[in-house]
Amino acid sequence: MDRAIPRRDFLNGAAMAIGTAMLPGGLQRAEPGSGEPQDRPGYCPPAATGLRGSHPGSFEVAHSLRDQTFWKQAPPTKPLPETYDLVVVGGGISGLAAAHFYREKSGGGAKILILENHDDFGGHAKRNEFHLGGKLQLLNGGTMLIDSPTPYSAVAAGLMKKLGIDAAALDKKCTDHGFYASRGLGSGVFFDRETFGADRLLKAPRGMDEESADRQDAGTRWREFLSGAPLTDRARRDILRIETESIDYMPDQLSAEKKDRLSRMSYKDFLLKVVKADPGAVAFYQTRTNGEWGVGIDAEPALDCWALGLPGFQGLKLDLGSAPHMSYTAAGYANGGSDRFHFPDGNASIARLLVRNLLPAAVPGSSAEDVVTAEVDYGRLDRPESAIRIRLNSTAVRVRNAPGSGKGSERAGVEVVYASGSELFSVRAGACVLACWNMAIPYLCPELPERQKEALHYLVKVPLVYTSVALRNWSAFEKLGMASFYCPGAYWNSVGLNWPVNIGQYRSPRSPEEPILLHLSRTPCKPGLPAREQHKAGRMELLVTPFEAFERKIREQLTRMLSSGAFHAASDIEAITVNRWPHGYGYEYNPLFDPDWAEGQAPHVIGRQRFGRIAIANSDSGATAYTDVAIDQAYRAVSELDAV
Ligand SMILES: Cc1cc2nc3c(=O)[nH]c(=O)nc-3n(C[C@H](O)[C@H](O)[C@H](O)COP(=O)(O)OP(=O)(O)OC[C@H]3O[C@@H](n4cnc5c(N)ncnc54)[C@H](O)[C@@H]3O)c2cc1C
């Protein structure tokens, strides 16, 4: 358990010159464009292991702005001679899309600077890259896949098309959906002793995770599964009833009345008070909603859980489709959803395609398939001769409308000050799109109207951790006959072998003797509190958890889960990347805790109002956490600038 795992901050034998983590210590750095960390040979953030996501060095400046200590110790601002048509704050999908739309609307040739506080572009759409046994293996460090509750809008679908992405066709061609099943691997459930009294790993009944689970023969499958579970007889009986029986628990009500009632109670209360299930049975379902919303069933409406296919509603005969008082996600999925496709690095491939679109020389290649293995030339992102520049490791700290603001770089309408290393620089531009996390905007633009700042503060992002673990082989999984696991009470709530996707030159592992990547996720939350309070508590937890603590939890849980398959953490784990997202999913209103806002009064709508030559994008300004929304909001923000 205590064997050291080499921190693989080396790529092809050369030390990766990220440098960011050192910057707050006072490293003096030359002016942008000449010797920035991103220009150094071997710079490749996706290959770094250890603590990633909101990595050390990326957030300290923003936190000191929030704590009102930043300006007390700030060095003098150095005005740069650079002027732009547009400065974009935030190099996530929304910021990159905003640059694309602005350039397109301006007829090409616009001068655009994108500032990003992390050491890589993409925002949540980050890539984890490993070279195992000489072979490239990829996982998403954040944004997992093209999958949204609603079909992509004409704008978002149009951008996908321009980038060469046809999600449905790629999924058909590249995803080997039946791969693990063809080798006899299904899903499993890990009961942990802290929650259930004993550690026990069981094969899940077939169909448990599927929305349209085939309930034929379900009784036999569930009985067999439950007989091995560390649960009381009462809890077993109740789970069997919830999963397999069609009981109308609200017999005197019409479908619309039932839906209304279900939208006003949590799924936990539905199970306890309506279904009258034993608390031991309810514990089995507690974290079924964590992956989707970052909180458990205590804080999610029963109706939303129905839309996501959770059990217990079979006998209620609810009319299909959405209903009033549902969350964006649940209402959307109740009506269908978008096409789905998982690139091996998740939606980082979309970010890389956007960068290729803006700066073709930085991301060689020509298709959505070859982008997966393309090597990004970070040194080309911020060249003085380029109309478009992407400047990493740079945190915007001040954005204001300049007196006499107007359109065009000659009439420099905004001034943007950003911190890079231990220095402050300012640039001027015709306009600015803030595609950063919306709740940070009041600190960047203190002149905003108080009502707008208050609205922006309302949005509390959902904390999450996505961890990629490189394994020397996956024979333990093969022996156990399981590829993915639901762990209702454990530290890591879900664990799964990497997606079998073969695209372009990229090949996923085929044999259990080959190295593979494992994906683990944790959604820190505090059941019992209102959802936004749970998110705040979870964020605090993430900020004080060191890498070593995550690492120990990984080794311990995998050992407890997999040792009967002869898994040995000390020899089987090769490397770990913990993607920590204290500010993860954009806040989506929760019908249990948020009012039904009147038209135009929702905090995200008040918060995203244009302020002079400053417009606001990011998926936050669409009050949800999806890539299509990030793109739509970029388009809206750019269009608002057009109108001035
Ligand atoms: C773990 C995780 C999994 C997800 N999975 C999915 C999924 O499967 N499908 C899906 O559609 N969506 C998913 N999402 C939602 C995801 O947030 C959106 O899809 C999309 O990537 C958001 O893009 P964005 O540009 O709006 O925001 P972000 O990706 O958050 O980008 C904003 C960027 O602005 C930067 N920034 C903030 N402040 C400053 C500053 N002052 N100066 C400079 N830069 C700044 C931030 O650091 C960040 O890099 C997931 C999110 C997370 C966290």
Side-chain angles (χ1 to χ4, degrees), residues 185-190 201-204 208-209 476-478 480-488 492-497 518-521 557-558 561-562:
L185 273 67
S187 51
V189 177
F190 174 63
L201 179 69
L202 297 175
K203 279 195 174 189
M208 180 183 148
D209 293 334
F477 296 77
E478 175 96 342
L480 293 165
M482 291 175 236
S484 63
F485 306 84
Y486 167 55
C487 315
W492 300 103
N493 170 231
S494 85
V495 175
L497 292 176
L518 189 66
H519 171 82
L520 289 77
S521 76
Q557 186 170 331
L558 293 182
M561 287 171 61
L562 306 171

Side-chain angles (χ1 to χ4, degrees), residues 84-85 400-416 428-432 611-614:
Y84 296 91
D85 297 301
R400 67 179 146 205
N401 288 295
S405 60
K407 266 191 188 177
S409 51
E410 328 76 56
R411 294 175 60 196
V414 293
E415 182 200 45
V416 179
R428 317 262 310 187
C432 178
F611 184 60
R613 299 289 299 151
I614 302 166

Side-chain angles (χ1 to χ4, degrees), residues 27-329:
L27 181 75
Q28 293 293 314
R29 174 203 282 176
E31 285 199 2
S34 56
E36 294 174 67
Q38 68 193 65
D39 295 334
R40 295 183 193 149
Y43 185 89
C44 181
T49 54
L51 207 49
R52 301 292 299 155
S54 282
H55 57 77
S58 64
F59 59 86
E60 293 81 353
V61 166
H63 285 188
S64 95
L65 259 189
R66 177 202 61 195
D67 299 339
Q68 301 187 352
T69 52
F70 181 79
W71 291 108
K72 290 181 189 147
Q73 53 199 24
T77 302
K78 282 170 91 175
L80 293 175
E82 304 166 9
T83 57
Y84 296 91
D85 297 301
L86 180 75
V87 170
V88 178
V89 175
I93 291 203
S94 199
L96 296 168
H100 165 84
F101 291 132
Y102 190 93
R103 184 185 59 176
E104 192 174 64
K105 279 170 182 279
S106 69
K111 286 181 69 187
I112 303 174
L113 172 68
I114 301 170
L115 295 171
E116 168 56 49
N117 61 321
H118 287 90
D119 57 22
D120 200 0
F121 57 81
H124 292 148
K126 286 280 181 356
R127 161 182 173 112
N128 288 169
E129 188 172 309
F130 297 81
H131 296 262
L132 303 171
K135 197 174 143 190
L136 174 70
Q137 295 212 29
L138 298 169
L139 242 178
N140 53 292
T143 308
M144 188 180 281
L145 75 163
I146 298 174
D147 173 27
S148 189
T150 56
Y152 275 41
S153 68
V155 165
L159 182 58
M160 290 291 125
K161 195 165 175 205
K162 270 182 221 145
L163 299 178
I165 301 172
D166 177 342
L170 284 170
D171 192 51
K172 197 160 172 224
K173 180 175 173 190
C174 308
T175 314
D176 192 348
H177 286 288
F179 174 66
Y180 291 119
S182 72
R183 300 194 63 99
L185 273 67
S187 51
V189 177
F190 174 63
F191 294 90
D192 63 292
R193 60 176 174 261
E194 292 83 353
T195 313
F196 297 98
D199 282 350
R200 193 87 32 96
L201 179 69
L202 297 175
K203 279 195 174 189
R206 188 170 52 79
M208 180 183 148
D209 293 334
E210 292 161 21
E211 285 175 31
S212 56
D214 169 14
R215 295 188 194 275
Q216 297 289 314
D217 286 337
T220 314
R221 286 186 274 119
W222 276 95
R223 248 179 240 107
E224 194 184 322
F225 165 75
L226 289 166
S227 66
L231 297 167
T232 62
D233 285 346
R234 170 83 209 275
R236 288 192 186 119
R237 268 202 312 274
D238 285 349
I239 293 175
L240 187 67
R241 175 161 59 95
I242 291 165
E243 295 287 346
T244 64
E245 292 183 29
S246 280
I247 299 171
D248 190 348
Y249 297 104
M250 302 174 170
D252 303 326
Q253 291 179 301
L254 300 171
S255 168
E257 293 166 338
K258 289 176 184 174
K259 282 180 147 181
D260 182 61
R261 203 175 142 202
L262 291 169
S263 75
R264 296 173 198 281
M265 70 173 84
S266 70
Y267 184 57
K268 181 175 182 180
D269 279 348
F270 169 70
L271 293 179
L272 283 174
K273 296 175 184 166
V274 179
V275 173
K276 303 215 181 303
D278 182 70
V282 175
F284 177 64
Y285 296 103
Q286 174 57 34
T287 56
R288 283 290 294 273
T289 50
N290 285 35
E292 194 65 52
W293 288 295
V295 286
I297 60 169
D298 56 293
E300 284 305 331
L303 187 64
D304 286 13
C305 295
W306 161 76
L308 253 71
L310 267 68
F313 303 99
Q314 307 84 280
L316 269 68
K317 311 237 168 345
L318 300 176
D319 292 341
L320 294 178
S322 63
H325 211 56
M326 285 178 92
S327 68
Y328 174 87
T329 291

Side-chain angles (χ1 to χ4, degrees), residues 54 58 62 65 88-96 115-118 120-126 140-148 152 347 394-397 418 435-437 440 444 461-462 464-466 579 581 583-586 617-620 624-631:
S54 282
S58 64
L65 259 189
V88 178
V89 175
I93 291 203
S94 199
L96 296 168
L115 295 171
E116 168 56 49
N117 61 321
H118 287 90
D120 200 0
F121 57 81
H124 292 148
K126 286 280 181 356
N140 53 292
T143 308
M144 188 180 281
L145 75 163
I146 298 174
D147 173 27
S148 189
Y152 275 41
N347 289 5
S394 301
T395 308
V397 292
Y418 68 93
C436 54
W437 300 333
L444 305 184
K461 288 172 91 69
V462 178
L464 301 135
V465 192
Y466 275 11
N579 304 279
W581 298 110
H583 303 275
Y585 295 161
N618 193 287
S619 68
D620 287 342
T624 195
Y626 295 98
T627 293
D628 54 329
V629 175
I631 294 167

